[in-house]
Amino acid sequence: MLLAIETSCDDTAAAVLDGRKVLSNCIANQNLIHKAYGGIVPELASRAHQSKIVPVISQALVEANIDKKQLTAIAYTQGPGLLGSLLVGGSFAKSMALALDLPLIPVNHMHAHLLVHFIEGNLTPEFPFLGITLSGGHTQLILVKSYFNFELIGTTLDDAIGEAFDKCGKIMGLSYPAGQEIDNLAKKGNKQRFTFPIARPKGYNVSYSGIKTAFMNFIKIEQTKNPKFIEKNLNDLCASLQNTLIQTIINKIKIVSNDFELKRIVIGGGVTANSEICSELKKQKIKNGWELFIPPVEYTTDNAAMIGIGGYFKLNEKKYGNLSDESKSRLQI
Ligand code: KG4
Ligand code: ZN
């Protein structure tokens, strides 16, 4: 019975897992807090985590129908993420593990985005596979050889794909985070209507900051001719932008898949909730003979069940450290 806590960014989340089975998966979203600022304000995120963490963990225990005394381990997001946000979840997890005398398991957030595929009930890939993480803070191509062996092959040189969705959304006047709304509006638009440049840096890295500038400059020029340009063309803008962002990563996936002779493609992270990226990857799967693993939508954006499954494998292999007796006595617990 493992309690998992995730507070890397702007979602306060807790889950209880019984082995690989998810008993509860609770999330307190902070979107309303950050909406007014068009992006995450780190200090506000930390404070919101502080006020939400106790109710969210309580809710996770209630929904799992267990008492905290029945817990056998605690897993938490060690990083990457916003420092203040990580500190709230990490400190809480450490305190709880000390108080209940339980093993404390730090989990890497990006690895966890890929490990969701091993949650009971999901389609499970074999090793090795090419893991692709697409989130608000990261865009990574990872060679995954085991539950613990993650080799970074490529990453973004600047912005993440989710950041590009959100920032271009902001340019169009959409509210933060814009990914889901762009996805919805794009369904009514023509993706061939506007053409934006696709960055092709050498090697296996990607780049998303150029498209943001190109998109902003394009909009500025068009607005001088027609002040209502965004309003009149919103669906086509969303579809064309989304298509460019997707093709950028698909190009690299094809190159890495060929070079590493890996046809098993496993995706994870908030942007994999995007309907177009899923349908494009499914087309590529047929063309290239890939095996493709897409997570169920509830495990795409940040959640604590993913930290729980990462913790489960580490717990099984005893890949965690205990808080030292010294720190226990210093804290007088
Ligand atoms: O993995 P995640 O929840 O948080 C991080 O670890 O960053 O990813 C959040 C990102 C945001 O940029 C958000 O706009 C994007 O995922 N996102 C989407 C969709 N749903 C969420 N992007 C495109 N299409 C979507 N349907
Ligand atoms: Zn994430």
Side-chain angles (χ1 to χ4, degrees):
M1 288 286 180
L2 184 145
L3 171 71
I5 300 171
E6 148 65 31
T7 63
S8 67
C9 195
D10 62 340
D11 293 297
T12 316
V16 176
L17 274 76
D18 179 1
R20 292 195 300 120
K21 186 174 176 189
V22 176
L23 299 184
S24 63
N25 191 23
C26 302
I27 303 177
N29 186 274
Q30 301 179 6
N31 281 352
L32 280 178
I33 297 171
H34 302 288
K35 233 183 181 103
Y37 304 92
I40 297 165
V41 183
E43 180 57 26
L44 294 183
S46 312
R47 286 172 198 220
H49 283 310
Q50 279 184 325
S51 64
K52 297 281 182 203
I53 197 157
V54 172
V56 170
I57 290 175
S58 304
Q59 180 74 19
L61 292 171
V62 168
E63 284 186 20
N65 199 20
I66 66 157
D67 185 84
K68 61 180 182 296
K69 293 195 183 85
Q70 290 169 267
L71 291 172
T72 47
I74 296 184
Y76 71 99
T77 308
Q78 188 178 36
L82 298 173
L83 211 57
S85 294
L86 289 168
L87 204 59
V88 177
S91 308
F92 198 95
K94 283 175 193 167
S95 314
M96 205 165 165
L98 270 170
L100 298 172
D101 200 19
L102 296 175
L104 177 72
I105 310 162
V107 175
N108 178 296
H109 181 91
M110 300 316 293
H111 298 175
H113 266 308
L114 293 174
L115 293 174
V116 290
H117 294 274
F118 297 93
I119 287 174
E120 196 175 299
N122 292 350
L123 213 57
T124 299
E126 278 174 31
F127 296 111
F129 60 76
L130 176 58
I132 314 291
T133 57
L134 306 174
S135 76
H138 293 81
T139 308
Q140 300 173 324
L141 297 106
I142 306 172
L143 176 58
V144 185
K145 294 183 194 151
S146 79
Y147 300 118
F148 314 109
N149 191 331
F150 293 77
E151 187 189 325
L152 190 67
I153 298 169
T155 182
T156 179
L157 296 172
D158 35 60
D159 292 355
I161 183 169
E163 206 176 338
F165 266 102
D166 296 338
K167 286 183 176 163
C168 291
K170 193 174 172 184
I171 294 167
M172 292 187 283
L174 305 180
S175 45
Y176 174 86
Q180 178 67 64
E181 201 177 350
I182 291 177
D183 189 355
N184 295 341
L185 295 168
K187 286 184 185 134
K188 296 175 266 174
N190 172 6
K191 65 180 176 188
Q192 311 298 349
R193 171 86 189 283
F194 305 111
T195 310
F196 302 111
I198 294 184
R200 297 175 203 271
K202 280 202 183 113
Y204 304 129
N205 293 327
V206 289
S207 164
Y208 278 105
S209 73
I211 166 79
K212 196 181 58 191
T213 314
F215 188 72
M216 190 172 65
N217 290 341
F218 171 75
I219 298 251
K220 272 188 192 157
I221 292 167
E222 292 301 322
Q223 275 179 325
T224 56
K225 295 185 238 162
N226 173 9
K228 293 204 165 156
F229 177 74
I230 295 180
E231 214 180 299
K232 294 266 179 239
N233 298 285
L234 189 59
N235 297 342
D236 290 347
L237 278 170
C238 287
S240 305
L241 168 74
Q242 178 175 274
N243 184 44
T244 311
L245 300 178
I246 292 173
Q247 293 311 325
T248 304
I249 188 68
I250 288 189
N251 285 346
K252 286 291 163 165
I253 299 176
K254 285 199 268 189
I255 294 170
V256 174
S257 162
N258 277 337
D259 287 4
F260 286 78
E261 294 179 2
L262 267 183
K263 286 188 178 284
R264 204 171 292 122
I265 315 290
V266 178
I267 64 169
V271 179
T272 61
N274 186 276
S275 57
E276 180 74 4
I277 199 161
C278 295
S279 69
E280 277 300 308
L281 282 168
K282 281 177 191 162
K283 282 185 206 156
Q284 293 299 329
K285 164 191 158 145
I286 297 166
K287 260 194 196 163
N288 301 295
W290 290 347
E291 248 184 286
L292 178 65
F293 295 83
I294 298 172
V297 73
E298 68 267 30
Y299 298 133
T300 53
T301 46
D302 289 351
N303 63 88
M306 70 187 209
I307 303 303
I309 192 73
Y312 164 81
F313 292 118
K314 281 186 146 184
L315 184 67
N316 273 355
E317 298 285 318
K318 297 218 171 0
K319 284 185 185 288
Y320 57 88
N322 271 319
L323 288 164
S324 68
D325 288 341
E326 190 209 343
S327 67
K328 278 188 190 177
S329 63
R330 216 185 299 136
L331 289 163
Q332 294 179 327
I333 288 175

